[in-house]
Amino acid sequence: MTPEQVAAGSKPAVLELGELFSRSPETLQRARELGLSGWAFYVTGRAGALGDIHADTVVAALGFLAPEAVADGWDTAVRVVRPLTVATANLTECCRWGTAHLDGLPGTPRLTALLERVVAAADATGMPLFAAWRAMPLPEHTDGARAAAALLLLREYFAGAYLLAVRAAGMTPLEAVLAGPAGEDGAAACGWSPPYPAVGPLVRRRLWAEAVTDRLASTGFRALRPAEGRELIELLSDLRSVLRPDPAG
């Protein structure tokens, strides 16, 4: 398999698995302990890796979330706690979730090794959020914690690559969300309010952007040999199957 094919084959599982921890009861409880809503914790937990920045910079970094919703979540959070504190709490919950759910699974040690090689080799140019997360120290070092953190990092890597590709395609982030599989439901989940623009002519541009995303993300997957790329996709698929029955538990 080529690195682009491995990136494309890994992407759906990474996007799903890389955020499972954020929906766990423990993560939501951590948000409440910090005095934050789930939304404020989500926004600040992601962008807080960049430190004390203005809400406009957060909007630019997150890309696909509605600016007003991002600013509301960020400004609400920073009145209560430092952004980096929230990001650290987010990573801690990610690692705890990984230790609880991934440790002990037979494929986790090998999956961890492959994921970490991809993360280390990834080109972070134009992806400040991914770069910031990659610089964060891990609070736990079990195989499960490391695998969960690597999945979180690769999710930000794919998101950063897609944001670059969408802008190169001449689409706005909202147009890209609307042209995606979730359509208007996806836009609402990202904080965008109707009325929404028509998206029919944008589908071809979105497909082009998806292909460019795979090309941009392929730099990290070049660290793997073709057989290892196939192995990674299989391990991610197996893990997805195991976790799907109870994704939030």
Side-chain angles (χ1 to χ4, degrees), residues 39-40 42-67 69-75 78 83 128-129 163:
W39 177 255
Y42 174 75
V43 169
T44 314
R46 285 184 65 194
L50 293 168
D52 297 320
I53 57 177
H54 192 274
D56 287 347
T57 308
V58 180
V59 170
L62 296 181
F64 297 105
L65 304 182
V70 168
D72 180 65
W74 180 265
D75 290 339
V78 298
L129 196 53
L163 184 58

Side-chain angles (χ1 to χ4, degrees), residues 111-200:
L111 176 63
T112 301
L114 294 174
L115 289 172
E116 289 184 338
R117 283 167 58 190
V118 175
V119 168
D123 182 357
T125 303
M127 304 180 194
L129 196 53
F130 166 70
W133 273 105
R134 188 165 60 178
M136 294 272 289
L138 290 185
E140 291 188 34
H141 294 273
T142 67
D143 284 334
R146 289 162 52 203
L151 287 166
L152 181 156
L153 282 164
L154 284 184
R155 192 176 191 281
E156 293 294 357
Y157 182 53
F158 276 119
Y162 188 48
L163 184 58
L164 291 173
V166 162
R167 303 303 289 130
M171 289 192 294
T172 67
L174 172 57
E175 289 172 337
V177 173
L178 289 170
E184 293 187 358
D185 288 341
C190 290
W192 300 94
S193 300
Y196 301 120
V199 298

Side-chain angles (χ1 to χ4, degrees), residues 53-95:
I53 57 177
H54 192 274
D56 287 347
T57 308
V58 180
V59 170
L62 296 181
F64 297 105
L65 304 182
E68 296 81 3
V70 168
D72 180 65
W74 180 265
D75 290 339
T76 297
V78 298
R79 285 195 291 267
V80 178
V81 63
R82 293 283 298 276
L84 188 57
T85 300
V86 184
T88 301
N90 194 43
L91 183 57
T92 297
E93 294 307 319
C94 174
C95 288

